[in-house]
């Protein structure tokens, strides 16, 4: 998907922030590169600046996807990335695609 389409979906789903998913809290919705190598670079950058919007800015011309960030505080304290695709959320969450 292109960045502009992903941005629209991300913005349409801000209501998901704060909801529980698999025992964790959805803290953020971010756009990530789909390419594995670029995704690794994105994650390293994200771990440094903790800002999904700033981290994706280098990758806006690449194919992207949308993920939810779970328990962001655990990433900082334990170094564990907890992401899941927005497409994995069940219908009753009201995901707008």
């Amino acid at each position: 998907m292109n960045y502009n389409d992903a941005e629209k979906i991300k913005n349409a789903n801000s209501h998901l922030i704060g909801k529980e998913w698999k025992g964790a809290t959805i803290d953020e919705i971010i756009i990530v590169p789909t390419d594995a190598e670029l995704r690794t670079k994105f994650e390293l950058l994200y771990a440094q600046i903790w800002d999904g919007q700033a981290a994706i800015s280098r990758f806006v011309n690449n194919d992207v996807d949308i993920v939810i960030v779970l328990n962001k505080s655990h990433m900082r304290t334990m170094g564990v990335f907890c992401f899941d695709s927005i497409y994995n959320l069940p219908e009753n969450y009201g995901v707008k695609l």
Side-chain angles (χ1 to χ4, degrees):
M1 139 181 357
N2 71 50
Y3 176 80
N4 290 331
D5 290 342
E7 185 71 22
K8 289 175 189 173
I9 294 170
K10 176 188 154 202
N11 292 336
N13 287 289
S14 61
H15 65 280
L16 298 171
I17 296 172
K19 288 192 174 196
E20 296 291 316
W21 172 243
K22 294 184 178 180
T25 302
I26 300 172
D27 289 323
E28 191 175 6
I29 302 169
I30 61 175
I31 300 170
V32 299
T34 56
D35 177 83
E37 185 177 321
L38 295 178
R39 174 80 176 251
T40 299
K41 290 178 182 180
F42 169 87
E43 288 177 1
L44 291 171
L45 181 59
Y46 182 76
Q48 292 173 355
I49 61 176
W50 299 106
D51 182 338
Q53 193 68 32
I56 195 62
S57 66
R58 297 180 184 182
F59 307 98
V60 296
N61 293 320
N62 299 95
D63 190 57
V64 295
D65 199 4
I66 306 148
V67 299
I68 54 173
V69 178
L70 301 163
N71 289 349
K72 192 172 179 178
S73 63
H74 289 180
M75 287 186 213
R76 292 180 183 194
T77 59
M78 298 166 48
V80 177
F81 283 98
C82 298
F83 299 116
D84 201 351
S85 173
I86 197 169
Y87 302 106
N88 289 338
L89 294 172
E91 191 175 306
N92 65 326
Y93 275 63
V95 175
K96 298 173 184 151
L97 302 175

